[in-house]
Amino acid sequence: MALISKPLTQIILYIKDMGAEVHFYHDVLGLPIRYPTGLSDYSREMWVELETGDCTLALHGGEQEQPDTQHEILFEVEDGEAARGAIIAAGIEMMPTHILEDGAPVAEGTDPAGHRFAIRGSD
């Protein structure tokens, strides 16, 4: 019997600069804001939730330390190279695309707070 029988529902990232993180995840990656909605400036918020499908990405403000590099968030995209190019155009450095063992292209980067993320193309 599995101890966890439900899908993953939320990932929480602890961050320093809410404005920069919301800009990256909402404006650059295009994740819809679930809570709080309708604000023009998120820099003073301590908690922001973004929709990623079945799992919510929550940003928790007030962190003072740089995150460790022992985790990575993976997003699936339709066109990996187009997504990588758009992220680079937004000022985020990305590693070159490489091919995973299953043949899928993936490229890795770091968000403004220092959290590792990757985009996996379905192309």
Side-chain angles (χ1 to χ4, degrees), residues 67-99:
D68 65 43
T69 59
Q70 301 304 308
H71 67 276
E72 183 172 271
I73 300 171
L74 178 67
F75 296 98
E76 189 162 329
V77 298
E78 288 188 28
D79 184 337
E81 283 308 306
R84 181 178 177 273
I87 293 168
I88 291 169
I92 302 294
E93 291 185 31
M94 296 287 296
M95 299 296 291
T97 300
H98 62 277
I99 305 300

Side-chain angles (χ1 to χ4, degrees), residues 21-122:
E21 291 294 288
V22 169
H23 171 71
F24 175 69
Y25 286 104
H26 176 63
D27 299 329
V28 176
L29 296 188
L31 299 178
I33 295 175
R34 179 178 178 178
Y35 174 87
T37 59
L39 301 178
S40 60
D41 180 8
Y42 285 86
S43 63
R44 295 187 175 272
E45 297 300 310
M46 286 298 288
W47 183 263
V48 174
E49 295 178 5
L50 299 124
E51 294 182 22
T52 65
D54 291 337
C55 183
T56 300
L57 177 60
L59 306 176
H60 189 305
E63 181 60 50
Q64 297 304 313
E65 296 181 22
Q66 186 74 6
D68 65 43
T69 59
Q70 301 304 308
H71 67 276
E72 183 172 271
I73 300 171
L74 178 67
F75 296 98
E76 189 162 329
V77 298
E78 288 188 28
D79 184 337
E81 283 308 306
R84 181 178 177 273
I87 293 168
I88 291 169
I92 302 294
E93 291 185 31
M94 296 287 296
M95 299 296 291
T97 300
H98 62 277
I99 305 300
L100 296 175
E101 294 82 8
D102 65 0
V106 67
E108 298 165 317
T110 305
D111 76 11
H115 296 280
R116 291 175 49 202
F117 74 93
I119 54 169
R120 176 187 167 122
S122 58

